[in-house]
Structures are given as C-alpha cells and as structure tokens.
Amino acid sequence: MPIDLRSDTVTRPSDEMREAARDAAVGDDVYGDDPTVNELEARAADAVGTEDALYVPSGTMGNQIAARVRTERGQEILVERESHVYRWELGGLAQLSGLQVRTFDAGERAVPTPEQVREGYVEESLHRPGTGLLSLENTHNARGGVAVPPEDIDAAAEAAHELGVPVHLDGARLFNACVALDVEPERMVRDVDSVMFCLSKGLGAPVGSMLAGSEAFVDEARRVRKLFGGGMRQAGIIAAPGLLALDNVDRLAEDHENARRLAAGLDGIEGLSAPTPDTNIVQVSTGDAGVTAEEFVAACEERGVLGGAHGEYLTRFCTNLDVSSGDVEEAIERIREAVEGVAV
C-alpha cells in the first residue's frame, strides 16, 4: 500500500463525512436555500471572527474571487514571489481580473516587512494604475509550510492600510499556522480584510474552501463566484463533510509531529537534508546525493512512497490525516532504500 505524502489534499473522507453527505438537508444554494451550506458559512465566519463567509469549490477560486472584488482592472497586486496565488493558479490574476503582478522576496520570513510593502507600492497617477491589493500567505506552502506569526501579518497589513491598500490572506492552511503558534484564528486574521481557508487540506473534507470577510465583501464575492462558474445548487451534500472538517483543527498537531519525525529521519540519511518544519510540510534537498528531485521522487514511488518535486533538487512531502506515525517510520525506511538505489 503506497504511503501518500504528495499533499494533505489526498485524504479520503471518513465514514462520518460520507454519512453526513448522504443525510444532508439541501436546497438551492444559488437562491440561498441550502440550510447545510448556510450553517457552514455561519460556522466558518465564526471560526475566524468575520461578519460573513462564502462557500467556494476551491481555494484557488476563493483567492481569485478576492482579487476580483478588491481591485480594478489594470491595477497591480503585490505578492510574495513564491506565493501560491502567483505560481500555482494559472495566471488567474491576469486572466480573471486583468491585474499586473509586482513581487517581493520575503525569503524564509515568508511575509513582507513594512518596508517591502512601502517599496512595492505604486501610487495611482495619470500614467500608472496603482497598487490595488496586497496578498499574503499563511502557512506559506513553497517556503516549507512556514507558520507566520500574527505580529508579522499585522505589520504588513498596517503598512498597506496606511497606503490605502486592502489585504487578502491566502490561509489555505491557516489552521496549521494557528495550531503551530498556539494562536486563535480570529487573532491571526484580525488585521486583514479577507481570508480564504481550505476545508479539503489538513481538515480532511473531500472538497471546498471558505472565503471570509465583511458582509459587504461577501455579498460582492457571491456575485463573482457566480461569474466564475462557482454557483452551486444542492451543495449541502458536499458542505456537510465541511462542517465535520471544522472539528478536525486540534488534530493538526499530530500531522506536525509526524512531519518533524519524518524530517528528522530523512535528515539522518546520507545525501539528504531536511530542516525541521513548522507545520506539516517537509522539504528535502537531494543535492548532496547528486540526485535530482525527479529521480528521487521516481525512486521513492517505486518503493511505495509518494512525494512531489518542487525544484531541481527539492522534494516536498506532506503529512496528513491518512498518515500515521507508523506510516512515517515505514516511509523513512523505504526512502532510505530509495536513496541507496539511486545515489551517485
């Protein structure tokens, strides 16, 4: 049986989630008539301390809706150069909202300093469209699941707000950051204007994300969701597992512990380097082994461990709801064999 560490999106819904989907009370959500969706949206808003929330099919759609609502065509959006909204959403900022992207390099910090926000800001003029939005990410996927402290989010948001620029937070793994730092979600997102978080990653739902903010923002976001093809009818069938997913926040600590155990084990294998992760994402460098990430991933797959190449010599493994501590120990041994088989 393969040990699937490609992502925390690969988990299978629990029996309870399947039963909840089967028995869900439903209505037409485009008309606002689905009681299960309405309950999920209310609970999601309460979870992050916002006025309202919107159920969307994916995190990518949530981010793209936020960008469309917050900006005008031609404006610039300020993003971290390794951010998901920039690297992994098919150029949606340009295609769907007509935005220009200006990047900054936050490095291991994963969030811009106030100085970087001010340096990246472009004032609107006769010749320039100006900066319309600052987008942050927590945890930061490509930076190795870095959990960004709320004070750093606050500082970047304050700098943007002083310039009249709203702030969106891509919080696909928001609750991982909150658990890792022992911070309440409401506190983490206090100074941003909107936040997206996924139900289908570490929380284990089969589908769906939430986009939260003020009532006025969500009203407009609902219209843009329709525009983007995200209006759903009897969506309570998929929203019901999302309600159960919100109860899975505390157990994310298990994924973090498994990730630390995995990183320590892999770091002890000659030729591999794996720093201790903040959350559930383990980044492994294979440069010292003289093995590319593609070669390494293929060798691991042959031995029943699935991961993903994220650079020439960088591989990502992601602990998740379906991976036990025993699976982690087994994965370490299988990967050790894989390295011995392909190392120069």
Side-chain angles (χ1 to χ4, degrees):
M1 186 74 176
I3 301 171
D4 198 341
L5 298 169
R6 289 173 297 171
S7 177
D8 45 9
T9 61
V10 300
T11 57
R12 295 155 297 180
S14 65
D15 290 342
E16 291 80 9
M17 287 184 177
R18 294 173 188 270
E19 291 171 6
R22 182 194 64 199
D23 298 336
V26 299
D28 191 324
D29 182 50
V30 172
Y31 287 109
D33 292 343
D34 193 299
T36 306
V37 172
N38 293 342
E39 181 183 357
L40 176 60
E41 291 176 342
R43 279 195 58 192
D46 184 65
V48 293
T50 60
E51 292 178 354
D52 206 350
L54 179 69
Y55 186 45
V56 294
S58 71
T60 292
M61 181 177 283
N63 286 335
Q64 296 300 326
I65 289 172
R68 180 64 178 258
V69 171
R70 294 292 186 191
T71 60
E72 298 177 3
R73 289 187 175 277
Q75 284 188 317
E76 293 189 3
I77 179 171
L78 188 59
V79 302
E80 211 281 318
R81 71 174 192 176
E82 299 294 333
S83 63
H84 192 280
V85 72
Y86 176 52
R87 289 191 62 189
W88 305 109
E89 299 187 10
L90 282 172
L93 296 170
Q95 295 200 71
L96 300 174
S97 297
L99 298 178
Q100 303 179 81
V101 175
R102 184 176 295 270
T103 64
F104 55 84
D105 183 0
E108 295 181 0
R109 191 172 185 271
V111 67
T113 63
E115 291 75 20
Q116 285 179 305
V117 174
R118 288 189 282 267
E119 289 170 2
Y121 171 73
V122 173
E123 186 174 2
E124 181 181 345
S125 71
L126 177 64
H127 305 285
R128 307 187 74 178
T131 301
L133 183 66
L134 168 65
S135 182
L136 307 176
E137 186 174 333
N138 197 17
T139 65
H140 197 302
N141 178 9
R143 297 292 184 185
V146 170
V148 180
E151 295 80 9
D152 291 348
I153 298 289
D154 297 345
E158 181 180 1
H161 289 154
E162 288 175 351
L163 297 166
V165 176
V167 181
H168 172 68
L169 178 63
D170 175 355
R173 297 181 176 88
L174 172 71
F175 295 105
N176 290 88
C178 293
V179 168
L181 298 173
D182 193 23
V183 174
E184 291 296 320
E186 182 175 358
R187 168 64 188 90
M188 186 68 80
V189 307
R190 183 187 67 189
D191 287 353
V192 301
D193 300 291
S194 57
V195 58
M196 181 280 296
F197 64 86
C198 290
L199 302 170
S200 57
K201 289 188 166 66
L203 300 184
V207 63
S209 294
M210 307 304 304
L211 180 60
S214 68
E215 288 185 10
F217 168 78
V218 171
D219 283 347
E220 184 60 26
R222 195 175 300 277
R223 297 183 72 248
V224 175
R225 184 186 68 175
K226 177 70 172 175
L227 173 67
F228 287 177
M232 297 176 285
R233 301 300 180 175
Q234 287 70 39
I237 289 176
I238 54 174
L243 285 166
L244 295 177
L246 290 174
D247 295 329
N248 282 338
V249 171
D250 290 343
R251 65 145 308 278
L252 292 173
E254 299 174 28
D255 293 345
H256 300 173
E257 177 57 34
N258 282 336
R260 289 190 290 270
R261 184 179 294 112
L262 178 63
L266 298 184
D267 197 59
I269 298 173
E270 186 175 358
L272 302 186
S273 175
T276 303
D278 285 355
T279 54
N280 68 320
I281 293 175
V282 177
Q283 290 189 326
V284 183
S285 172
T286 55
D288 290 344
V291 178
T292 67
E294 294 287 354
E295 293 169 336
F296 177 59
V297 168
C300 290
E301 184 174 355
E302 288 179 0
R303 288 159 179 82
V305 178
L306 306 183
H310 277 236
E312 186 176 5
Y313 293 101
L314 188 68
T315 295
R316 188 188 81 165
F317 293 114
C318 195
T319 55
N320 58 69
L321 183 63
D322 286 352
V323 174
S324 68
S325 59
D327 291 331
V328 168
E329 297 302 327
E330 177 65 22
I332 292 169
E333 293 310 309
R334 293 185 188 182
I335 293 171
R336 188 187 309 277
E337 295 173 3
V339 173
E340 291 172 353
V342 298
V344 176

